[in-house]
Amino acid sequence: MDKANSTIETQAKVNWRWRKIKDELMMRVVQVGGAAVIGAIALIFIFLLSVVYPLFEEPEIHESARYQLPSTALGPSLMLGVEEQAEIAFRVTKDGSVLFFDVSNGQSVINYKLPISDDDAVLGVRNVSEASRLLAANLKSGGLLFFKHEYDLEFTETERIIHPKVVYPFGQEVVDLGESAIMQFAVGENEDNLTIFYQNEDGKLGLTGFEKVSSFISEDVVLEEIDNSFLNSSHEPVALLVDPEQEWAYVLNDRGTLALYDIRDIASPDLQEVIDVTNQSSKPTGIEWLIGGISVLVGDDSGVVSQWFKIRAEGDVPYTLKKIREFKVDSSGVNKMASEQLRKGVVAAAESGKVNFFYTTSERDLMTIAATEGEVQHIAIAPRSDILLLEDSLGQLSVWDMDNHHPESSLSGLWGKVWYEDYQKPDYIWQSSSASSDFEPKYSLIPLTFGTIKAAFYAMLFAMPLAICGAIFTAYFMRPKMRALVKPSIEIMEALPTVILGFLAGLWLAPYIEQHLPGVVFVLIFVPLGIILSALIWWRLPFEIKSKIPEGWEAAILALPIITIVMLCMSASTAVEGALFEGNIRIWMSENLGVGFDQRNALIIGIAMGFAVIPTIFSIAEDAIFSVPKHLTSGSLALGATPWQTLVRVVLPSASPGIFSAVMIGFGRAVGETMIVLMATGNTPVMDFGIFEGMRTLSANVAVELPESEVDSTHYRILFLAAFVLFMFTFFFNTIAEIVRQRLRRKYATL
Amino acid sequence: MATTSISSDLFENQASRSIDQEDICITCEDFSLSYGTKQALFDINLKIPTNRATAFIGPSGCGKSTLLRCMNRMNDLIDGINISGQMKLHGKDINTRDVNVTELRQQVGMVFQKPNPFPKSIFENVAYGLRLQGITNKTEIEDRVEWSLVNSALWGEVGDRLQDNAFSLSGGQQQRLVIARAIAVRPQVLLLDEPASALDPISTLKIEELIAELKSQYTVVIVTHNMQQAARVSDYTAFLYLGKLIEFGPTNVLFTAPGERQTEDYITGRYG
């Protein structure tokens, strides 16, 4: 007996231990699972942020070398430049020497001499085109000499050796521009033509156009003069500019005015406008192109750099110059400016030796350094914007390493209106890439966010009434048998891959609606009316007919009038379009109402994405309504409330947090939905809320552009930012929904 | 001969009357009900007197709640119910098509086993039925709410916090609130479906005291499992068993001298 007892006891103990182990084990598994989910979300969050963060990082700069100018004896430079690898730099001196030297230590690499006579001298050198490395020098003896700095690369086993050289693309001949020496000049150059705009010793402003003609035999290119003319200028010019397409010439004079000439006909330049470009008392100190040849930068002695470009004017001249933005460099006055070769960044040096970096489009004032002891004479930015060379008046050259990867992104640029070149006014624009190389990407997240909200809005407009009313009917009025059929059917819609919905919407629904637009509008009007009418007729029907329909299945008969109305509307569509809208409602709308029509528009998205979110909203809302305790409804009914009164006064108020949460989750889903919007919106990042206009959403944008963007580029990081914004959107809506749902659950627990 | 567990002093304040002397409120005539193929009530014939408390007793599943719920047609909500025979309120059949169910339910109020206040304030709970009837006059509503709460013996406890949520009340208070809500619409009949079974003894006592007061103004029909309760609060008692009305009579007679063997077995605790 004792033995038996003890066996039972041991058995019980073993069982107990085993149960405890299982319990512990399962608890740990569940805990690990839960923590892993939270961890995964946190990791996504951290990863997105880590990719996005560098966008807003402050740039860094530090001095890597400082040395005396190589071949100091030849005097200060007339031009300073760096090649693409930022290993070799060159300077041009008065005697016509082109001195190449090692950027890191100033060691001379090789010296060239321009083909000028010993008693001649170079007065100045200007960059013609940074992309083709073409330079032009004006000579004391008159005329311009064009030359290029070029680099041959040689690869040995272990290293890359760069061999600099000087070439003469238009021959070693000096381009003759009359007897007197050229004091100032500007050159506009493209593939076929070259225009020189100059001021000679006599103070005259001359304009000469050339055509590039290549010889059949030697393939040498020579310049052949097409035309020339002289302009009158009442003030002393400070600087001249010609745009690369040689359509416009700019003259900045000492009074602070900028004159714009139309030079499309070189023989008769046409003065378009003279405009004050400096503040009242300040004098201009220089003018520079921003890359692309559209914006000009004007520096003045009050230390302000202003950006100008021409926009379409309203008056008698077609264009007018407009100040777009300005940057304060240093009150000592702007001494020298240089713009980056691949971006719209600018380096401006002040008289005080301070050097300021700013980025025009993003309006970011990036940094200011006290760079040199003397005044900055020349600024050279390496093409990749990683090295900066400064020559000061004391003959010292300083080399700066720059770490400045994403100056073009700023909060104001991403979320505010930006005035881009050639636009009439500041605007929100997303245009990340283009075929043209001097194109400036435009990264405003506003059109995408707008498109996302628009798509979600129209989807909700379509889905919310249907899903919520459906949920109310199913949960509250429907007979259990019918409910057992309807609820799973709607929920199974959720399993439909959205790519199929998108495909159907884009390739079938969109063209169909385009062809039957009046019919669709009629459906939207007449179906609700028809439903109300059917209900009225049903109410009036004699009891004998009503009693033949099983109770609770009345709604099923509604399918009949709905289908009939839809078919009638669709078949009447073409006839109505012909009779009322001159055969084409789309053209009629744009002509008479000014409403544009995209085939893939918000209506399509509303229907297709609405279809995708209906099951989500329906399912959660139905659960919320159905789980309103039955004793509450019977309590209300027992007080003599009609089912409708009970619904409105007891059921809906109790279930409203659940319905709200359903709507939020549906909205979150609509915001994050990708395939449908990708395939059926047209993906045009426009900011138009019209129902017949397309849109581009954050999600579709990421899906379209991320595979094509360069890793770690600004574009790439901004796409991650878009993804992050999207994540925050859905996170926000789902969190709200979940909080409301938790509250609801707690509330029901006490009922 | 009948050794009941209930002492006769329980009935001392109950007048011994015959049902024939009473004014009849609800009449069941050959009333039968089935859920689909399963019959739940068999040919019930019953007269419920006006302004008296009538108790339905019987073991679980005997159909007493079903019968009660037929009196204001709460069973309409259930699928597949078939009824035959008549259920009359003041001589008028309530199951004909020309009867407006909501009006019927305003006349025949009902209180359920579990307190079911709405998730609203105490005031709004009581005012609910009034608002349903379209009463918008503020003073009238306030007067009726106060009257109902006074008559349901709750005013003293909640009179100064009418705007509090009804869920802040205790279970017993909630049940009295539900009764207040029911009487606010001035019904003729009050159906109580085991109103105290979810409550503690003190709350139960209060509810019973309340019923004793209410029956002077309302016809009260109460379903209860608790035979002492039936004995304490009711003037008449009906004993149902397996869907059949076994015995109906004045409470003191039924408990002290049951006419049927089954009744005696039940009230002496042999089954149930």
Side-chain angles (χ1 to χ4, degrees):
Chain A
M1 195 66 186
D2 268 1
K3 202 183 168 192
N5 254 345
S6 69
T7 337
I8 291 169
E9 260 172 39
T10 9
Q11 191 59 41
K13 243 181 207 168
V14 169
N15 277 346
W16 163 240
R17 197 180 298 155
W18 180 229
R19 261 162 58 195
K20 207 176 162 191
I21 288 171
K22 271 205 275 195
D23 192 53
E24 282 280 306
L25 195 72
M26 284 324 290
M27 203 168 79
R28 293 277 175 270
V29 168
V30 170
Q31 276 174 344
V32 168
V37 169
I38 295 171
I41 290 174
L43 278 179
I44 293 174
F45 195 81
I46 292 166
F47 174 66
L48 288 177
L49 274 184
S50 71
V51 179
V52 168
Y53 176 71
L55 283 179
F56 303 104
E57 238 174 357
E58 287 301 316
E60 278 175 22
I61 187 165
H62 62 270
E63 189 173 346
S64 63
R66 187 179 285 253
Y67 41 81
Q68 284 294 313
L69 282 174
S71 316
T72 318
L74 294 172
S77 313
L78 298 172
M79 156 63 68
L80 190 66
V82 195
E83 54 81 40
E84 197 179 352
Q85 312 296 337
E87 288 176 16
I88 306 280
F90 69 94
R91 68 192 198 96
V92 185
T93 55
K94 210 175 156 189
D95 66 332
S97 293
V98 182
L99 311 163
F100 289 95
F101 58 94
D102 191 324
V103 168
S104 57
N105 52 24
Q107 295 285 316
S108 186
V109 174
I110 191 164
N111 288 358
Y112 289 95
K113 187 92 165 50
L114 294 176
I116 58 172
S117 59
D118 287 345
D119 56 343
D120 203 352
V122 176
L123 299 176
V125 181
R126 284 197 74 163
N127 254 315
V128 174
S129 156
E130 279 169 334
S132 60
R133 297 179 303 279
L134 181 63
L135 304 168
N138 53 334
L139 305 178
K140 194 175 155 197
S141 59
L144 293 186
L145 180 66
F146 288 95
F147 62 101
K148 275 184 179 183
H149 54 109
E150 281 200 347
Y151 306 88
D152 291 331
L153 293 180
E154 183 196 337
F155 292 94
T156 66
E157 294 267 312
T158 52
E159 55 178 350
R160 178 188 61 203
I161 303 168
I162 300 174
H163 299 290
K165 61 180 183 185
V166 172
V167 295
Y168 302 92
F170 311 127
Q172 299 200 1
E173 306 299 311
V174 170
V175 175
D176 185 22
L177 294 165
E179 286 297 302
S180 54
I182 308 294
M183 303 309 292
Q184 305 224 37
F185 69 99
V187 182
E189 186 234 5
N190 62 12
E191 270 182 34
D192 307 316
N193 291 295
L194 188 142
T195 300
I196 302 171
F197 186 32
Y198 61 93
Q199 183 200 23
N200 62 20
E201 250 175 334
D202 312 335
K204 275 175 148 180
L205 284 179
L207 195 59
T208 310
F210 297 90
E211 192 178 357
K212 291 181 183 175
V213 180
S214 43
S215 143
F216 289 108
I217 306 155
S218 61
E219 290 186 3
D220 287 344
V221 177
V222 288
L223 296 176
E224 274 184 14
E225 186 176 330
I226 313 167
D227 228 333
N228 70 74
S229 60
F230 286 95
L231 291 77
N232 293 318
S233 177
S234 46
H235 300 295
E236 184 61 22
V238 174
L240 310 173
L241 276 184
V242 178
D243 77 310
E245 294 306 311
Q246 300 143 56
E247 293 177 337
W248 305 93
Y250 300 82
V251 182
L252 179 71
N253 66 36
D254 58 352
R255 291 288 189 84
T257 57
L258 185 63
L260 174 67
Y261 290 90
D262 181 349
I263 56 163
R264 277 174 284 197
D265 181 3
I266 286 173
S268 59
D270 183 17
L271 179 64
Q272 291 281 308
E273 191 181 30
V274 179
I275 194 165
D276 268 318
V277 290
T278 55
N279 300 326
Q280 294 88 11
S281 57
S282 43
K283 292 230 179 297
T285 54
I287 184 165
E288 280 293 334
W289 281 123
L290 205 54
I291 176 195
I294 293 164
S295 291
V296 294
L297 297 164
V298 179
D300 68 22
D301 62 359
S302 70
V304 172
V305 174
S306 47
Q307 181 190 356
W308 298 73
F309 55 76
K310 51 188 195 314
I311 60 169
R312 247 167 232 293
E314 312 223 319
D316 26 312
V317 285
Y319 292 103
T320 179
L321 278 168
K322 179 92 186 160
K323 177 148 94 176
I324 306 305
R325 47 182 80 90
E326 62 174 38
F327 295 88
K328 183 86 184 150
V329 177
D330 187 82
S331 52
S332 60
V334 177
N335 184 36
K336 201 82 191 169
M337 292 180 295
S339 65
E340 289 181 300
Q341 293 184 27
L342 299 171
R343 301 187 301 209
K344 311 254 178 198
V346 176
V347 176
E351 303 261 347
S352 64
K354 277 190 182 160
V355 173
N356 181 262
F357 295 74
F358 55 86
Y359 199 86
T360 53
T361 0
S362 65
E363 304 196 358
R364 263 177 88 177
D365 200 334
L366 294 161
M367 52 191 166
T368 305
I369 49 171
T372 54
E373 289 163 38
E375 263 179 44
V376 172
Q377 297 296 311
H378 293 284
I379 302 172
I381 308 171
R384 291 176 184 170
S385 299
D386 46 356
I387 292 284
L388 174 74
L389 254 62
L390 300 171
E391 181 184 329
D392 72 3
S393 52
L394 305 174
Q396 280 212 323
L397 227 148
S398 52
V399 182
W400 301 77
D401 276 347
M402 292 193 288
D403 202 4
N404 182 18
H405 297 294
H406 308 290
E408 60 269 67
S409 71
S410 66
L411 279 182
S412 68
L414 289 170
W415 297 106
K417 283 190 175 178
V418 175
W419 201 336
Y420 290 104
E421 286 177 345
D422 280 352
Y423 280 78
Q424 284 300 101
K425 56 182 188 341
D427 211 345
Y428 304 112
I429 298 159
W430 175 274
Q431 201 175 19
S432 56
S433 54
S434 140
S436 148
S437 59
D438 57 357
F439 162 83
E440 180 183 22
K442 301 168 183 70
Y443 301 120
S444 172
L445 289 179
I446 295 283
L448 304 180
T449 311
F450 178 90
T452 305
I453 291 172
K454 179 185 171 186
F457 172 81
Y458 279 105
M460 294 306 276
L461 207 63
F462 179 80
M464 231 164 63
L466 284 179
I468 292 177
C469 293
I472 289 172
F473 188 81
T474 313
Y476 187 67
F477 292 101
M478 207 177 263
R479 295 282 144 173
K481 257 189 193 165
M482 192 176 177
R483 179 174 179 266
L485 201 71
V486 168
K487 197 173 183 220
S489 318
I490 295 182
E491 279 168 352
I492 225 159
M493 272 166 59
E494 195 159 20
L496 208 62
T498 52
V499 65
I500 294 177
L501 281 178
F503 172 77
L504 282 176
L507 297 180
W508 171 76
L509 186 65
Y512 184 83
I513 286 187
E514 191 185 21
Q515 296 303 318
H516 298 83
L517 193 55
V520 173
V521 176
F522 288 161
V523 164
L524 293 179
I525 297 168
F526 289 120
V527 165
L529 285 180
I531 290 173
I532 294 169
L533 191 72
S534 319
L536 280 176
I537 293 171
W538 173 257
W539 185 48
R540 291 275 170 178
L541 273 184
F543 183 75
E544 286 66 39
I545 301 177
K546 276 201 235 181
S547 63
K548 291 208 173 110
I549 306 292
E551 228 178 328
W553 286 83
E554 298 91 345
I557 326 169
L558 206 56
L560 197 68
I562 292 178
I563 291 170
T564 319
I565 292 170
V566 170
M567 282 172 67
L568 278 178
C569 288
M570 288 307 170
S571 56
S573 177
T574 318
V576 169
E577 198 167 4
L580 295 180
F581 305 109
E582 296 151 14
N584 190 329
I585 192 170
R586 284 159 286 137
I587 294 172
W588 185 87
M589 274 199 313
S590 66
E591 278 174 2
N592 292 289
L593 306 174
V595 178
F597 185 89
D598 290 341
Q599 192 200 52
R600 298 184 179 183
N601 53 40
L603 178 66
I604 310 291
I605 286 304
I607 295 172
M609 199 148 77
F611 199 78
V613 295
I614 279 176
T616 315
I617 303 178
F618 172 84
S619 180
I620 299 169
E622 209 270 353
D623 283 342
I625 296 165
F626 195 74
S627 61
V628 171
K630 286 288 162 291
H631 61 251
L632 280 187
T633 44
S634 6
S636 169
L637 291 169
L639 284 167
T642 60
W644 182 252
Q645 282 175 320
T646 305
L647 174 74
V648 173
R649 287 164 194 249
V650 174
V651 177
L652 287 187
S654 304
S656 56
I659 297 171
F660 176 77
S661 143
V663 170
M664 283 294 115
I665 287 179
F667 197 79
R669 183 154 180 222
V671 163
E673 174 51 51
T674 310
M675 281 322 287
I676 296 175
V677 285
L678 187 66
M679 299 176 88
T681 56
N683 289 318
T684 42
V686 290
M687 298 258 291
D688 187 319
F689 211 74
I691 191 167
F692 297 124
E693 302 278 351
M695 74 217 80
R696 188 184 192 120
T697 69
L698 287 165
S699 55
N701 187 61
V702 171
V704 170
E705 294 187 5
L706 201 53
E708 293 173 11
S709 82
E710 180 198 339
V711 174
D712 289 347
S713 64
T714 304
H715 182 208
Y716 178 85
R717 291 188 196 280
I718 286 179
L719 288 177
F720 268 77
L721 180 64
F724 181 73
V725 170
L726 187 64
F727 182 62
M728 289 316 289
F729 257 129
T730 48
F731 190 77
F732 174 76
F733 287 116
N734 283 311
T735 308
I736 286 193
E738 199 49 42
I739 289 171
V740 170
R741 217 148 55 142
Q742 292 295 341
R743 282 210 177 160
L744 185 73
R745 194 172 298 165
R746 235 174 294 145
K747 195 169 134 193
Y748 279 153
T750 63
L751 289 183
Chain B
M1 50 160 242
T3 47
T4 66
S5 58
I6 295 160
S7 61
S8 59
D9 62 301
L10 262 173
F11 312 109
E12 62 192 64
N13 54 359
Q14 288 172 7
S16 185
R17 279 186 218 88
S18 155
I19 189 81
D20 301 326
Q21 297 165 300
E22 300 281 2
D23 189 9
I24 299 303
C25 179
I26 297 172
T27 317
C28 302
E29 288 174 6
D30 296 329
F31 191 79
S32 301
L33 179 143
S34 55
Y35 298 105
T37 54
K38 185 177 171 289
Q39 191 157 3
L41 295 173
F42 297 86
D43 300 319
I44 307 282
N45 283 290
L46 184 67
K47 287 175 178 164
I48 291 172
T50 307
N51 290 2
R52 297 283 178 267
T54 304
F56 290 175
I57 60 168
S60 297
C62 70
K64 54 191 190 302
S65 281
T66 305
L67 181 60
L68 188 79
R69 292 167 70 91
C70 286
M71 292 175 176
N72 70 346
R73 289 181 57 180
M74 286 302 282
N75 284 333
D76 285 13
L77 303 171
I78 300 165
D79 256 348
I81 288 242
N82 279 310
I83 53 174
S84 65
Q86 290 185 323
M87 174 77 75
K88 291 177 176 168
L89 177 68
H90 294 303
K92 193 176 180 316
D93 191 349
I94 62 169
N95 285 312
T96 53
R97 273 206 302 123
D98 57 332
V99 169
N100 185 326
V101 183
T102 59
E103 274 175 25
L104 171 73
R105 288 178 187 153
Q106 278 167 21
Q107 290 169 27
V108 186
M110 187 162 192
V111 173
F112 299 85
Q113 176 176 8
K114 199 179 163 215
N116 60 350
F118 303 131
K120 298 170 188 280
S121 69
I122 294 169
F123 183 89
E124 281 305 319
N125 260 282
V126 183
Y128 183 84
L130 307 172
R131 294 199 198 277
L132 287 181
Q133 292 178 7
I135 299 172
T136 48
N137 185 322
K138 214 176 158 215
T139 41
E140 192 186 346
I141 290 181
E142 280 170 4
D143 290 348
R144 291 273 286 273
V145 168
E146 184 177 343
W147 176 88
S148 308
L149 288 170
V150 168
N151 279 278
S152 59
L154 200 57
W155 183 256
E157 291 160 60
V158 303
D160 54 346
R161 51 184 184 116
L162 293 177
Q163 296 310 319
D164 285 12
N165 195 299
F167 292 118
S168 64
L169 300 177
S170 73
Q173 287 173 326
Q174 286 187 10
Q175 194 64 306
R176 277 180 284 148
L177 177 68
V178 171
I179 292 173
R181 189 173 74 188
I183 62 176
V185 297
R186 302 259 166 90
Q188 301 169 13
V189 184
L190 210 49
L191 307 175
L192 308 174
D193 191 356
E194 301 185 36
S197 65
L199 305 179
D200 62 275
I202 294 173
S203 301
T204 304
L205 181 68
K206 285 196 172 163
I207 296 284
E208 286 177 7
E209 285 168 3
L210 178 58
I211 294 168
E213 277 176 37
L214 290 173
K215 71 183 183 188
S216 61
Q217 296 176 59
Y218 305 96
T219 303
V220 175
V221 186
I222 176 168
V223 165
T224 179
H225 263 119
N226 180 332
M227 276 171 292
Q228 279 91 342
Q229 190 173 59
R232 281 195 295 268
V233 301
S234 67
D235 303 301
Y236 293 88
T237 299
F239 172 61
L240 283 92
Y241 183 61
L242 295 178
K244 296 190 174 87
L245 178 66
I246 306 297
E247 190 172 352
F248 175 69
T251 303
N252 50 3
V253 177
L254 192 119
F255 275 93
T256 51
E260 299 288 331
R261 173 87 197 173
Q262 282 163 313
T263 315
E264 188 183 335
D265 284 351
Y266 181 68
I267 60 184
T268 52
R270 284 196 205 134
Y271 53 64

